Amino acid sequence: MKSLNKERLDKIISSQFNISRSEAKTCIRRGQVLVGGTVAKDSGMLVTPETEQIIFNGERLAYKKNIYIIMNKPRGVLSASTDKSRKTVVDILPEELKRSGLFPAGRLDRDTTGLLIITDDGDFAHRIISPKKKIKKTYIVWLDADITPDICRKFSEGVTLSDGTLCAPSKLTRIDKNVAEITITEGKYHQIKRMFGTVGIGVNELHRKSVGGLTLPENITEGLSRELTEMEKNSIFMPV
Ligand code: URA
């Protein structure tokens, strides 16, 4: 059986209620936190959050070590945790999903829409992002020119970007004259735009529809997000 770890109380309160560590300390000092029915005095007290009852401002803590969120990223929002002036994907999460340490598992460009995973679990994110894991990411792409069989062939062999970077083979399937589906297993900077750049084609729009075996559900419309179910989480790593 997995052993349960003890954690500092201020750390637990800060991560689970999306407040800073110093705010958590202040709340504990003011007697706003109860552990096992007794007012906690010490911010540094060690608690097992899975088994000990924690109440903060009268609200019972439903502890989750990590959180896994699916978002349909809207255009114009930055794939980052914070930014000085621009709105980020973490900024637009509903309050009940916000907590400290959240970050997007992989980046979509500011003008790209679609499936984005946001989590505070670094190992999970690594399994999605690392090119070594070869998790397929599928996008719909709208182009400023027609797609030819020759371009599909070039992409399937792996293209070399203008700076010499080699891309792994990808699958390009024509949907309409200038609309295609493309599946890649890496996440190089502006990868798809730069790949089409090698054949002199511009990308007008880009939308990510799936990551591994997980497809963006239709009812998660642009800007919406919710927690992933256990089954959805696992489906990311299923072979497709
Ligand atoms: N490739 C791009 O060029 N942009 C994205 O947002 C994702 C993949």
Side-chain angles (χ1 to χ4, degrees):
M1 210 175 78
K2 219 165 121 188
S3 65
L4 299 173
N5 286 331
K6 284 191 178 293
E7 273 190 68
R8 283 181 62 105
L9 183 60
D10 52 2
K11 187 165 175 234
I12 298 169
I13 297 295
S14 148
S15 79
Q16 302 289 307
F17 292 96
N18 192 34
I19 58 174
S20 70
R21 202 67 172 261
S22 66
E23 284 166 335
K25 283 188 176 132
T26 306
C27 294
I28 294 165
R29 211 179 318 116
R30 286 186 186 146
Q32 290 166 265
V33 180
L34 275 72
V35 177
T38 307
V39 175
K41 298 262 160 52
D42 175 12
S43 293
M45 84 182 274
L46 294 175
V47 180
T48 310
E50 288 92 346
T51 56
E52 291 182 78
Q53 187 197 68
I54 301 172
I55 294 176
F56 175 51
N57 283 342
E59 186 187 334
R60 170 120 192 229
L61 168 64
Y63 179 78
K64 283 182 201 144
K65 184 164 166 44
N66 293 110
I67 190 165
Y68 306 89
I69 299 165
I70 178 169
M71 172 182 281
N72 183 346
K73 179 193 164 303
R75 197 181 314 276
V77 178
L78 211 62
S79 285
S81 305
T82 54
D83 191 74
K84 278 204 197 92
S85 53
R86 291 166 302 176
K87 214 182 256 180
T88 72
V89 290
V90 171
D91 293 334
I92 65 165
L93 286 173
E95 282 310 313
E96 68 273 14
L97 294 181
K98 281 189 186 168
R99 50 198 261 171
S100 48
L102 287 176
F103 61 92
R107 279 168 186 263
L108 293 179
D109 294 339
R110 204 161 165 218
D111 57 356
T112 300
T113 59
L115 201 171
L116 188 69
I117 307 290
I118 299 168
T119 185
D120 54 358
D121 182 343
D123 293 336
F124 181 80
H126 177 74
R127 287 173 67 202
I128 297 176
I129 301 165
S130 168
K132 284 194 192 131
K133 307 283 180 194
K134 293 198 166 60
I135 298 290
K136 292 179 178 165
K137 285 99 184 174
T138 299
Y139 298 78
I140 307 290
V141 59
W142 288 262
L143 303 160
D144 66 6
D146 295 355
I147 298 133
T148 62
D150 190 46
I151 300 172
C152 296
R153 185 189 50 77
K154 278 194 177 128
F155 278 26
S156 74
E157 288 168 358
V159 294
T160 304
L161 303 178
S162 56
D163 63 356
T165 308
L166 189 67
C167 294
S170 58
K171 187 166 182 238
L172 179 66
T173 311
R174 185 181 180 277
I175 297 177
D176 202 348
K177 272 199 322 238
N178 62 338
V179 186
E181 190 174 284
I182 178 165
T183 301
I184 59 175
T185 54
E186 306 161 298
K188 299 185 198 300
Y189 182 65
H190 293 329
Q191 181 164 341
I192 293 175
K193 291 174 185 160
R194 289 160 75 208
M195 284 170 70
F196 280 101
T198 65
V199 289
I201 293 181
V203 170
N204 291 336
E205 268 184 62
L206 193 55
H207 174 84
R208 184 154 71 184
K209 65 175 249 191
S210 61
V211 172
L214 175 68
T215 298
L216 185 66
E218 265 176 30
N219 60 6
I220 306 185
T221 52
E222 248 179 65
L224 290 188
S225 47
R226 64 157 167 82
E227 275 186 78
L228 283 171
T229 64
E230 210 44 43
M231 222 158 78
E232 287 173 328
K233 240 177 83 183
N234 295 332
S235 73
I236 296 174
F237 308 103
M238 296 292 180
V240 274

